[in-house]
Amino acid sequence: MRTELCILSLVLALGASACGEHKPRVDKMTAALQAKYKHNPAPKQPYQITLTLADAPGSFAKLEGSVYYEAPDCRYMPDRIAGFFLTPSVDLPMSYSKVGETSYIATIQADAMLDEDYFGEGMCHWELASVNTSLKATGAKTDTSYVANLLGDEVRGQKARTNYYVKYDYPGSDPEERSDFGVVDRSRYKPELQDQLFSITLTPKAATP
């Protein structure tokens, strides 16, 4: 999904550069469409997401999360002059609660968005595409943002993912707001870094509606 998100960002950027003066118009239309998408008033697919830290280099004062939804069977053209299509998507915030010295829990809804005919061309079916989390030492702009995520299939399959990060970037000192996405395979780090790693594990579990 990281790749897909990057592709989406690239499409948006290319569309904006291609239409130049139409960018504000595209942004306005996209914002209006996002406001049009409806939340499911009676979701029935809750999942509990547990975040666990291991060997962390210090505390994390800022923990943020979001759930990304897509309707892959729908496409819309935000600006007919620009002439490109996009897939409807929505990011909803998620909140973690601390439940232990190194663990946090959040509850999300896989069916948080309402399936509906939003464009007059047939039903749009929403899917949970990814769960995304970032941690910062203090919340300062210079802090490294440690990013972890789960794909929608991993959430539905209740499959945990562990990402590994190097400790030496903590807490961070980059004014450009550096993000560290870590790696799943810790062997990709050099041998001399193996004792300088910490991990973030996201574990999804189906909950009772």
Side-chain angles (χ1 to χ4, degrees):
M1 179 53 60
R2 187 183 309 164
T3 300
E4 294 176 5
L5 290 174
C6 290
I7 292 173
L8 177 59
S9 299
L10 177 60
V11 170
L12 287 169
L14 289 175
S17 63
C19 62
E21 66 274 17
H22 300 296
K23 183 178 184 299
R25 182 180 173 187
V26 171
D27 290 345
K28 184 176 181 180
M29 292 179 68
T30 301
L33 281 169
Q34 293 244 343
K36 181 179 180 179
Y37 302 145
K38 299 177 182 178
H39 292 194
N40 186 351
K44 299 179 181 179
Q45 299 175 30
Y47 285 86
Q48 186 180 79
I49 308 296
T50 301
L51 184 154
T52 306
L53 292 163
D55 302 317
S59 61
F60 291 95
K62 188 174 183 180
L63 172 57
E64 295 182 324
S66 67
V67 189
Y68 181 69
Y69 300 87
E70 288 183 332
D73 58 351
C74 288
R75 294 199 310 162
Y76 69 93
M77 185 179 291
D79 190 317
R80 294 191 179 278
I81 297 176
F84 62 91
F85 288 90
L86 294 177
T87 297
S89 62
V90 171
D91 254 316
L92 298 183
M94 59 183 287
S95 298
Y96 283 98
S97 297
K98 190 169 185 177
V99 293
E101 192 63 32
T102 59
S103 58
Y104 305 78
I105 286 180
T107 298
I108 66 169
Q109 301 289 341
D111 56 343
M113 301 304 296
L114 186 65
D115 293 345
E116 190 169 287
D117 183 358
Y118 289 99
F119 307 103
E121 298 182 3
M123 187 72 73
C124 292
H125 298 93
W126 291 92
E127 295 180 359
L128 187 160
S130 66
V131 172
N132 309 288
T133 303
S134 68
L135 298 87
K136 285 188 171 186
T138 66
K141 183 178 179 179
T142 54
D143 283 356
T144 298
S145 178
Y146 297 97
V147 180
N149 59 32
L150 288 169
L151 302 183
D153 287 344
E154 291 174 319
V155 175
R156 290 182 287 270
Q158 302 182 68
K159 182 179 179 181
R161 182 194 289 197
T162 298
N163 277 33
Y164 295 91
Y165 311 80
V166 290
K167 296 180 180 181
Y168 60 67
D169 283 331
Y170 176 94
S173 58
D174 192 336
E176 299 301 320
E177 300 184 82
R178 179 179 180 276
S179 293
D180 185 346
F181 290 89
V183 298
V184 174
D185 181 3
R186 66 177 297 159
S187 67
R188 290 177 57 186
Y189 289 110
K190 297 177 181 180
E192 58 266 31
L193 294 177
Q194 290 299 314
D195 62 349
Q196 300 179 40
L197 302 179
F198 75 98
S199 67
I200 300 173
T201 300
L202 295 180
T203 304
K205 182 180 179 180
T208 303

